[in-house]
Amino acid sequence: MRLLSIDTTSPHGGLALLDDGTLVEEVALNEPDGYSPVIFGAIESALERHGWTLDSIDAFAAASGPGSFTGVRVGLSAVKGLAEALGRPAFGVSNLQAVASFGTTPIRAPWLDARRGEIYGGVFDSELRALAPETVGPRELWEATLPLEAEIVAGDGLSLAAAVVRIAAHRYRLGDRPDPATLDANYLRRSDAEIFSKPLH
């Protein structure tokens, strides 16, 4: 079982290759000017290093957000295109679920900087099942809703590609085979362009 994942949702992006549960490689991708020009070249180089072909990959996965609106779209579009072309399933994995995988306690509260004085936050158990809806808002208000035993896990600066591929592999082993057409972004809030755009009269 071979899977490839990509994370283009933040400046600390990456891609990861997983083979029968073993992480073969995680490649850091730090592209402040955007991932579109480099993502397919990075995938090709990683596959060549390990003698893989695209056709040998059983499933693809992408970090689906929340994160950079443009970055989320780049990653999901790349994975969707590859999966559709090869007839493979495509997984979208929540960034907050991926951050929760770095925790160590039964209840984990991952968060990411959402800017404008807000954070994206969630609550997951040790099996990475959501215990509450993901949210966006001031950190202090989110923390006030958390169980006392929750471990707060900061996600900023983490590379999530390996976590994403492991979560996708777990779902694949359980028989999940998501159609690439169902791949969707997990934005949690509207983009600045939508918020600040003026209505047409």
Side-chain angles (χ1 to χ4, degrees):
M1 181 182 68
R2 289 179 171 179
L3 285 86
L4 180 150
S5 73
I6 59 176
D7 172 24
T8 57
T9 62
S10 79
H12 305 281
L15 66 87
L17 304 178
L18 193 80
D19 193 357
D20 288 333
T22 299
L23 184 66
V24 174
E25 184 176 11
E26 182 177 18
V27 181
L29 298 174
N30 298 303
E31 296 297 332
D33 297 324
Y35 292 97
S36 293
V38 301
I39 188 63
F40 288 106
I43 290 172
E44 182 179 10
S45 296
L47 297 183
E48 286 180 353
R49 282 194 294 275
H50 301 284
W52 289 24
T53 63
L54 279 173
D55 199 46
S56 73
I57 297 173
D58 297 294
F60 296 87
S64 61
S68 157
F69 283 81
T70 301
V72 169
R73 287 194 295 269
V74 168
L76 291 177
S77 296
V79 160
K80 185 175 181 178
L82 290 169
E84 286 182 336
L86 295 164
R88 302 290 195 270
F91 295 87
V93 175
S94 161
N95 288 39
L96 289 170
Q97 184 185 33
V99 172
S101 72
F102 289 87
T104 59
T105 65
I107 300 179
R108 306 165 187 187
W111 69 274
L112 292 160
D113 185 7
R115 302 191 180 184
R116 299 205 295 266
E118 295 182 328
I119 58 102
Y120 301 114
V123 185
F124 295 81
D125 65 15
S126 59
E127 299 296 317
L128 304 185
R129 295 173 297 207
L131 300 179
E134 296 181 2
T135 187
V136 59
R139 179 174 172 177
E140 60 272 16
L141 295 183
W142 169 71
E143 288 186 351
T145 69
L146 298 177
L148 291 177
E149 67 273 28
E151 173 192 10
I152 295 177
V153 186
D156 291 314
L158 294 177
S159 178
L160 301 180
V164 167
V165 82
R166 289 190 177 104
I167 292 168
H170 177 69
R171 289 169 55 185
Y172 188 92
R173 284 191 293 269
L174 292 177
D176 192 8
R177 300 291 188 274
D179 187 324
T182 66
L183 209 56
D184 200 10
N186 178 29
Y187 289 133
L188 288 189
R189 74 177 178 200
R190 295 179 300 154
S191 67
D192 287 349
E194 292 176 297
I195 293 170
F196 297 115
S197 62
K198 293 181 180 179
L200 298 174
H201 296 291

Short mmCIF file of all heavy atoms in Angstrom, two decimals, residues 84-112:
data_model
loop_
_atom_site.label_atom_id
_atom_site.label_comp_id
_atom_site.label_asym_id
_atom_site.label_seq_id
_atom_site.Cartn_x
_atom_site.Cartn_y
_atom_site.Cartn_z
N GLU A 84 -7.73 11.65 -10.01
CA GLU A 84 -8.71 11.46 -11.08
C GLU A 84 -8.05 10.86 -12.32
O GLU A 84 -8.60 9.97 -12.97
CB GLU A 84 -9.38 12.78 -11.42
CG GLU A 84 -10.40 13.23 -10.37
CD GLU A 84 -11.09 14.53 -10.76
OE1 GLU A 84 -10.52 15.31 -11.55
OE2 GLU A 84 -12.21 14.76 -10.24
N ALA A 85 -6.84 11.33 -12.64
CA ALA A 85 -6.15 10.84 -13.83
C ALA A 85 -5.79 9.36 -13.70
O ALA A 85 -5.79 8.63 -14.70
CB ALA A 85 -4.89 11.66 -14.08
N LEU A 86 -5.51 8.91 -12.47
CA LEU A 86 -5.06 7.54 -12.25
C LEU A 86 -6.16 6.62 -11.73
O LEU A 86 -5.93 5.42 -11.53
CB LEU A 86 -3.89 7.54 -11.26
CG LEU A 86 -2.62 8.24 -11.77
CD1 LEU A 86 -1.68 8.52 -10.60
CD2 LEU A 86 -1.93 7.38 -12.81
N GLY A 87 -7.34 7.20 -11.48
CA GLY A 87 -8.44 6.39 -10.95
C GLY A 87 -8.20 5.92 -9.53
O GLY A 87 -8.53 4.79 -9.16
N ARG A 88 -7.60 6.77 -8.72
CA ARG A 88 -7.28 6.43 -7.33
C ARG A 88 -8.13 7.26 -6.36
O ARG A 88 -8.59 8.36 -6.71
CB ARG A 88 -5.81 6.70 -7.03
CG ARG A 88 -4.83 5.98 -7.93
CD ARG A 88 -4.80 4.48 -7.66
NE ARG A 88 -3.62 3.87 -8.27
CZ ARG A 88 -3.58 3.38 -9.50
NH1 ARG A 88 -4.65 3.43 -10.27
NH2 ARG A 88 -2.44 2.84 -9.97
N PRO A 89 -8.30 6.79 -5.13
CA PRO A 89 -8.98 7.60 -4.13
C PRO A 89 -8.12 8.79 -3.70
O PRO A 89 -6.90 8.76 -3.83
CB PRO A 89 -9.21 6.63 -2.96
CG PRO A 89 -8.21 5.55 -3.16
CD PRO A 89 -7.95 5.45 -4.63
N ALA A 90 -8.78 9.81 -3.18
CA ALA A 90 -8.08 11.02 -2.72
C ALA A 90 -8.66 11.45 -1.38
O ALA A 90 -9.87 11.66 -1.27
CB ALA A 90 -8.21 12.14 -3.75
N PHE A 91 -7.80 11.59 -0.39
CA PHE A 91 -8.21 11.96 0.96
C PHE A 91 -7.90 13.42 1.24
O PHE A 91 -6.82 13.90 0.91
CB PHE A 91 -7.47 11.11 1.99
CG PHE A 91 -7.78 9.64 1.94
CD1 PHE A 91 -7.07 8.80 1.08
CD2 PHE A 91 -8.76 9.11 2.74
CE1 PHE A 91 -7.35 7.44 1.03
CE2 PHE A 91 -9.05 7.75 2.71
CZ PHE A 91 -8.34 6.91 1.85
N GLY A 92 -8.84 14.11 1.85
CA GLY A 92 -8.59 15.42 2.42
C GLY A 92 -8.53 15.27 3.93
O GLY A 92 -9.44 14.67 4.53
N VAL A 93 -7.47 15.76 4.55
CA VAL A 93 -7.29 15.60 5.99
C VAL A 93 -7.23 16.97 6.64
O VAL A 93 -6.45 17.85 6.23
CB VAL A 93 -5.99 14.82 6.30
CG1 VAL A 93 -5.74 14.75 7.80
CG2 VAL A 93 -6.07 13.42 5.71
N SER A 94 -8.04 17.19 7.65
CA SER A 94 -8.05 18.45 8.38
C SER A 94 -6.69 18.75 8.99
O SER A 94 -6.06 17.88 9.61
CB SER A 94 -9.10 18.39 9.50
OG SER A 94 -8.86 19.38 10.49
N ASN A 95 -6.24 19.98 8.83
CA ASN A 95 -4.97 20.39 9.45
C ASN A 95 -5.02 20.24 10.97
O ASN A 95 -4.03 19.86 11.59
CB ASN A 95 -4.67 21.85 9.11
CG ASN A 95 -4.25 22.04 7.67
OD1 ASN A 95 -4.78 21.41 6.76
ND2 ASN A 95 -3.29 22.92 7.44
N LEU A 96 -6.16 20.53 11.57
CA LEU A 96 -6.27 20.44 13.02
C LEU A 96 -6.21 18.98 13.47
O LEU A 96 -5.61 18.68 14.51
CB LEU A 96 -7.56 21.10 13.50
CG LEU A 96 -7.57 22.62 13.38
CD1 LEU A 96 -8.96 23.18 13.65
CD2 LEU A 96 -6.56 23.26 14.34
N GLN A 97 -6.80 18.07 12.71
CA GLN A 97 -6.68 16.65 13.03
C GLN A 97 -5.22 16.21 12.93
O GLN A 97 -4.72 15.46 13.77
CB GLN A 97 -7.55 15.81 12.10
CG GLN A 97 -7.55 14.34 12.44
CD GLN A 97 -8.31 13.50 11.43
OE1 GLN A 97 -8.33 13.80 10.25
NE2 GLN A 97 -8.96 12.44 11.91
N ALA A 98 -4.52 16.71 11.90
CA ALA A 98 -3.10 16.38 11.74
C ALA A 98 -2.29 16.91 12.91
O ALA A 98 -1.40 16.23 13.44
CB ALA A 98 -2.59 16.93 10.42
N VAL A 99 -2.56 18.15 13.35
CA VAL A 99 -1.86 18.72 14.50
C VAL A 99 -2.14 17.89 15.76
O VAL A 99 -1.25 17.65 16.57
CB VAL A 99 -2.25 20.19 14.71
CG1 VAL A 99 -1.68 20.73 16.03
CG2 VAL A 99 -1.78 21.05 13.55
N ALA A 100 -3.37 17.43 15.91
CA ALA A 100 -3.73 16.63 17.08
C ALA A 100 -2.91 15.36 17.17
O ALA A 100 -2.68 14.84 18.27
CB ALA A 100 -5.22 16.29 17.04
N SER A 101 -2.43 14.85 16.03
CA SER A 101 -1.64 13.62 16.05
C SER A 101 -0.29 13.82 16.75
O SER A 101 0.36 12.84 17.12
CB SER A 101 -1.41 13.10 14.62
OG SER A 101 -0.49 13.92 13.91
N PHE A 102 0.13 15.06 16.94
CA PHE A 102 1.37 15.35 17.66
C PHE A 102 1.17 15.34 19.18
O PHE A 102 2.14 15.43 19.93
CB PHE A 102 1.94 16.70 17.23
CG PHE A 102 2.50 16.71 15.84
CD1 PHE A 102 1.68 16.96 14.74
CD2 PHE A 102 3.85 16.46 15.61
CE1 PHE A 102 2.19 16.97 13.44
CE2 PHE A 102 4.37 16.46 14.32
CZ PHE A 102 3.53 16.72 13.23
N GLY A 103 -0.06 15.26 19.62
CA GLY A 103 -0.35 15.23 21.04
C GLY A 103 -0.06 13.87 21.66
O GLY A 103 0.20 12.89 20.95
N THR A 104 -0.13 13.81 22.99
CA THR A 104 0.23 12.57 23.69
C THR A 104 -0.81 12.13 24.72
O THR A 104 -0.63 11.10 25.37
CB THR A 104 1.57 12.76 24.42
OG1 THR A 104 1.46 13.84 25.34
CG2 THR A 104 2.70 13.04 23.43
N THR A 105 -1.89 12.87 24.89
CA THR A 105 -2.86 12.57 25.94
C THR A 105 -4.19 12.13 25.34
O THR A 105 -4.42 12.25 24.14
CB THR A 105 -3.08 13.81 26.83
OG1 THR A 105 -3.68 14.84 26.03
CG2 THR A 105 -1.76 14.32 27.40
N PRO A 106 -5.12 11.63 26.17
CA PRO A 106 -6.41 11.15 25.66
C PRO A 106 -7.25 12.22 24.98
O PRO A 106 -8.00 11.92 24.06
CB PRO A 106 -7.11 10.60 26.91
CG PRO A 106 -5.99 10.22 27.83
CD PRO A 106 -4.93 11.25 27.60
N ILE A 107 -7.14 13.47 25.45
CA ILE A 107 -7.90 14.57 24.84
C ILE A 107 -6.92 15.65 24.40
O ILE A 107 -6.11 16.13 25.21
CB ILE A 107 -8.95 15.15 25.80
CG1 ILE A 107 -9.95 14.05 26.20
CG2 ILE A 107 -9.69 16.31 25.14
CD1 ILE A 107 -11.02 14.52 27.15
N ARG A 108 -7.01 16.04 23.13
CA ARG A 108 -6.04 16.98 22.55
C ARG A 108 -6.77 18.15 21.91
O ARG A 108 -7.77 17.96 21.21
CB ARG A 108 -5.20 16.24 21.49
CG ARG A 108 -4.55 15.00 22.06
CD ARG A 108 -4.02 14.07 21.00
NE ARG A 108 -3.54 12.83 21.59
CZ ARG A 108 -2.90 11.88 20.91
NH1 ARG A 108 -2.68 12.03 19.61
NH2 ARG A 108 -2.51 10.79 21.53
N ALA A 109 -6.25 19.32 22.15
CA ALA A 109 -6.86 20.55 21.64
C ALA A 109 -5.86 21.26 20.72
O ALA A 109 -5.06 22.09 21.17
CB ALA A 109 -7.26 21.46 22.79
N PRO A 110 -5.86 20.93 19.43
CA PRO A 110 -4.93 21.56 18.50
C PRO A 110 -5.40 22.95 18.09
O PRO A 110 -6.61 23.21 18.01
CB PRO A 110 -4.94 20.61 17.31
CG PRO A 110 -6.33 20.05 17.31
CD PRO A 110 -6.70 19.92 18.76
N TRP A 111 -4.44 23.83 17.83
CA TRP A 111 -4.81 25.15 17.32
C TRP A 111 -3.77 25.64 16.32
O TRP A 111 -2.62 25.22 16.32
CB TRP A 111 -4.98 26.17 18.46
CG TRP A 111 -3.72 26.55 19.18
CD1 TRP A 111 -3.15 25.91 20.22
CD2 TRP A 111 -2.89 27.69 18.91
NE1 TRP A 111 -2.00 26.56 20.63
CE2 TRP A 111 -1.81 27.66 19.83
CE3 TRP A 111 -2.94 28.72 17.96
CZ2 TRP A 111 -0.81 28.62 19.85
CZ3 TRP A 111 -1.92 29.67 17.98
CH2 TRP A 111 -0.88 29.62 18.91
N LEU A 112 -4.23 26.53 15.44
CA LEU A 112 -3.39 27.18 14.43
C LEU A 112 -3.72 28.66 14.40
O LEU A 112 -4.87 29.05 14.61
CB LEU A 112 -3.66 26.57 13.05
CG LEU A 112 -3.21 25.13 12.81
CD1 LEU A 112 -3.97 24.54 11.63
CD2 LEU A 112 -1.71 25.09 12.56
#
